[in-house]
Amino acid sequence: MSHANWLATILVLVTSAHAVPVYSDVNPVNYIEYSAVLASSGQPTQPQLTSIAASGVSRVVYLAFGDHEGAIINEDRLVRDLGMQFIQIPVLWQLPEVRDFEIFAAALNQNIDQKTLAHCQVNWRASSFVFLYRVLH
């Protein structure tokens, strides 16, 4: 099996797993902190994005489409107005592609010490991508 086929299979398997959403006023749904510079979560609220910026996060990577149910309208502008970099990689939940992960990894590798939050709607895509990133990079 080629590297690309293996990676695509892992992406589909990992993103097929289900988690029980845990909600909090402070942190976004299913928030996971992997290290001092990398965390993932489900969709943050506007007040949570403000708290995220205040905590020192300087980059937000959004792994879903902007028109997804529950998405924040103009999240890109809100994140930028809070002084953070915003990167959006629209990943199809049912069919993540290797190139989606490659773009994600390239973005994180641009500055590995930049405090980053990767998120999607409920942290299934984001946690899967972060898992693969941590294993492969």
Side-chain angles (χ1 to χ4, degrees):
M1 180 181 282
S2 75
H3 177 71
N5 288 341
W6 175 82
L7 186 56
T9 301
I10 294 296
L11 277 171
V12 170
L13 290 174
V14 171
T15 57
S16 297
H18 295 286
V20 177
V22 177
Y23 295 91
S24 165
D25 290 337
V26 177
N27 290 322
V29 63
N30 295 326
Y31 179 83
I32 301 170
E33 191 170 281
Y34 304 96
S35 71
V37 296
L38 184 58
S40 69
S41 75
Q43 178 66 59
T45 63
Q46 290 183 13
Q48 289 168 339
L49 283 171
T50 301
S51 296
I52 288 164
S55 77
V57 170
S58 60
R59 175 172 54 192
V60 173
V61 181
Y62 180 41
L63 298 173
F65 288 83
D67 62 355
H68 193 284
E69 182 180 337
I72 296 177
I73 297 172
N74 298 326
E75 180 178 351
D76 54 348
R77 182 169 304 280
L78 175 63
V79 168
R80 292 295 299 264
D81 288 349
L82 290 168
M84 298 180 286
Q85 179 185 16
F86 183 79
I87 300 167
Q88 183 172 2
I89 306 166
V91 178
L92 288 172
W93 166 247
Q94 301 85 348
L95 191 60
E97 297 183 8
V98 172
R99 69 180 175 180
D100 297 331
F101 174 75
E102 291 170 344
I103 294 167
F104 175 77
L108 266 59
N109 284 336
Q110 285 180 5
N111 185 347
I112 60 172
D113 294 325
Q114 187 173 6
K115 194 167 182 183
T116 301
L117 172 69
H119 84 85
C120 55
Q121 296 313 116
V122 293
N123 200 17
W124 294 350
R125 278 170 282 211
S127 61
S128 298
F129 275 49
V130 169
F131 167 79
L132 284 175
Y133 178 79
R134 294 178 72 213
V135 168
L136 298 174
H137 294 270

